[in-house]
Amino acid sequence: MGNASTTRLVFMDNLRAFLTVLVVAHHAAQPYGPTGGAWPIFNPEQAVIFGPFFAVNAAFFMGLFFFISGYFLPAACDRKGIRRLLQERLRRLGIPILFFGFVVFPPVIYQLASPSVSFQSFFMQVYVQQLDIEFAHLWFLMHLLSYVVLYGLWQRFFQPEPLPKLEPPRHRSIFAYVLGLSIVTFVVRIEYPIDRWVDLFGFLPTEVAHLPQYCSLFIVGILAYRQNWLWQLPAVRGLTWLGIGAGAGLLRYLYSLTRVEWGLPMLIAGGRFTWQSFIWSFWEATICVGLCIGLLTLFRERLNFQEKPMRMLSANAYGVYLIHLLVVLYVQFSVAGLAIGPIAKFGLVMVVGIPICFALSAFLRRLPFIKFVIS
């Protein structure tokens, strides 16, 4: 089928574009359903369907982003060397973090907060005195940059020996990972339930409830590259796990939509040492692993090609991730007063917002400095 070191993984570009659109959809739905997090806009009428939509998305999509990032890291390090790799990642990740955190977000937050003081006073009080800096969705970039630095230090100081060749994980090994992730997640969430954010080491915004998933999938991505698992994993095995993950996700929708009607117990996403919390941790891990393996296999087998529209989408995926929050918020504010239901508002935000995001990214990427940073 090919080798990871010689064949461009077009299907991975396509998968990243798909995940980016899913991130936009996740944020586009925030005002219109029962999300546990904070959002600047609240719609009085809520759609119950968005509850499982948020839960299933959160179960896998950022973890899959971390896997993909981990997968491409060893090749970049081998090709460029540690110093050049860190310089490139500081440019590509660090500059957007600083620019959005200190230039773009402060006036937006000021407008949303509507404080009685001037912007200059607000900035000095919040950003200088309190050091309460908002990075919003760029937490992902901050984590990714931190993981790259740790990987570079590991390679530089420990110089690990190459691992022996391992067969692609079989069903038993995959299930063992699901079970291990479930147990660690369950224990972590006793103290850190979903939607509780903390600043690790004083600067790294982190939803600790999902940290075991993110860290482990990043490491698995590195291992998958070194072992060439993406090409060697049998299609039947990968698609079997796609069915498992999709089935678990569908059950999550059915459970949320029928729980009250059928008198089912409420599952708890952390905060307690209960069987309900463990069941949800196991359920979420099954969705995560099943969809991660399954989507990678599906895109490898069916979407490892690109026509011009898909090339445009994948080329602008990173730019869209950076800017989409501002576009989504603007469209959400614009439709807030319309006398239509929450699902219709969500659809309108998607139909209007996604083309704007990709068109704006394509325009910005033509500007020399921005092209230097994110292309």
Side-chain angles (χ1 to χ4, degrees):
M1 181 174 287
N3 186 282
S5 62
T6 60
T7 306
R8 179 169 177 79
L9 304 184
V10 175
F11 75 91
M12 293 279 259
D13 293 335
N14 295 337
L15 181 54
R16 280 189 291 199
F18 166 76
L19 292 174
T20 301
V21 172
L22 191 56
V23 169
V24 178
H26 191 86
H27 289 146
Q30 289 291 312
Y32 313 120
T35 176
W39 196 255
I41 304 167
F42 176 75
N43 194 70
E45 186 181 355
Q46 301 278 287
V48 178
I49 190 70
F50 288 128
F53 177 72
F54 296 139
V56 172
N57 288 347
F60 84 96
F61 68 164
M62 297 311 299
L64 187 48
F65 265 129
F66 277 109
F67 174 93
I68 294 171
S69 300
Y71 184 88
F72 285 108
L73 180 58
C77 187
D78 295 347
R79 185 174 65 254
K80 301 174 182 179
I82 297 170
R83 177 176 295 182
R84 186 180 163 201
L85 171 70
L86 293 178
Q87 290 174 342
E88 190 270 338
R89 291 298 192 269
L90 284 170
R91 168 178 59 84
R92 185 172 171 82
L93 302 175
I95 292 176
I97 290 169
L98 294 175
F99 179 73
F100 277 84
F102 290 94
V103 178
V104 176
F105 289 153
V108 175
I109 294 171
Y110 177 78
Q111 290 295 324
L112 293 173
S114 301
S116 57
V117 298
S118 66
F119 174 72
Q120 291 81 0
S121 299
F122 171 81
F123 187 89
M124 289 298 296
Q125 177 183 348
V126 175
Y127 279 76
V128 178
Q129 298 173 9
Q130 300 177 4
L131 291 178
D132 186 13
I133 305 168
E134 177 61 67
F135 292 103
H137 63 299
L138 300 188
W139 68 266
F140 170 66
L141 274 63
M142 298 175 72
H143 276 256
L144 194 54
L145 184 57
S146 300
Y147 300 168
V148 170
V149 170
L150 290 174
Y151 179 81
L153 293 174
W154 172 261
Q155 293 292 111
R156 172 67 176 83
F157 291 106
F158 293 94
Q159 298 178 348
E161 293 292 326
L163 292 172
K165 285 299 179 182
L166 302 172
E167 292 293 323
R170 298 181 180 275
H171 293 302
R172 182 182 300 177
S173 299
I174 296 171
F175 179 77
Y177 173 69
V178 171
L179 186 59
L181 179 60
S182 304
I183 294 171
V184 175
T185 299
F186 166 66
V187 172
V188 166
R189 289 182 181 178
I190 295 172
E191 184 66 27
Y192 297 97
I194 289 178
D195 290 322
R196 180 181 173 185
W197 288 76
V198 299
D199 288 333
L200 286 185
F201 314 111
F203 72 92
L204 193 61
T206 304
E207 187 189 21
V208 182
H210 283 110
L211 194 59
Q213 177 195 124
Y214 299 157
C215 292
S216 62
L217 283 174
F218 185 80
I219 294 170
V220 171
I222 295 172
L223 185 62
Y225 171 79
R226 292 298 187 194
Q227 300 293 335
N228 198 26
W229 283 346
L230 279 192
W231 292 116
Q232 294 181 355
L233 183 74
V236 172
R237 194 179 306 168
L239 294 177
T240 297
W241 278 94
L242 175 63
I244 293 171
L250 178 60
L251 285 176
R252 183 65 176 88
Y253 275 85
L254 294 175
Y255 182 88
S256 294
L257 298 176
T258 60
R259 185 185 69 84
V260 176
E261 180 181 349
W262 291 356
L264 300 174
M266 181 175 183
L267 298 185
I268 302 170
R272 299 179 187 176
F273 191 84
T274 63
W275 67 267
Q276 293 97 330
S277 181
F278 177 78
I279 289 295
W280 172 235
S281 295
F282 179 77
W283 201 344
E284 182 184 274
T286 304
I287 295 171
C288 171
V289 176
L291 290 183
C292 285
I293 295 175
L295 288 173
L296 286 164
T297 305
L298 178 66
F299 275 68
R300 184 194 71 186
E301 296 297 316
R302 297 288 183 261
L303 293 167
N304 197 21
F305 64 91
Q306 281 187 339
E307 303 295 343
K308 186 175 180 180
M310 199 63 225
R311 285 198 298 270
M312 187 278 293
L313 293 178
S314 62
N316 287 284
Y318 182 48
V320 168
Y321 184 87
L322 292 176
I323 66 173
H324 79 275
L325 200 62
L326 301 175
V327 175
V328 165
L329 284 172
Y330 177 78
V331 179
Q332 286 172 342
F333 272 115
S334 300
V335 305
L338 297 181
I340 55 178
I343 296 178
K345 286 184 179 179
F346 164 75
L348 192 55
V349 173
M350 290 288 289
V351 169
V352 174
I354 287 180
I356 292 176
C357 285
F358 279 96
L360 184 57
S361 173
F363 168 75
L364 292 173
R365 289 178 62 250
R366 294 192 182 99
L367 304 180
F369 179 72
I370 296 179
K371 184 177 181 179
F372 168 74
V373 172
I374 68 172
S375 294

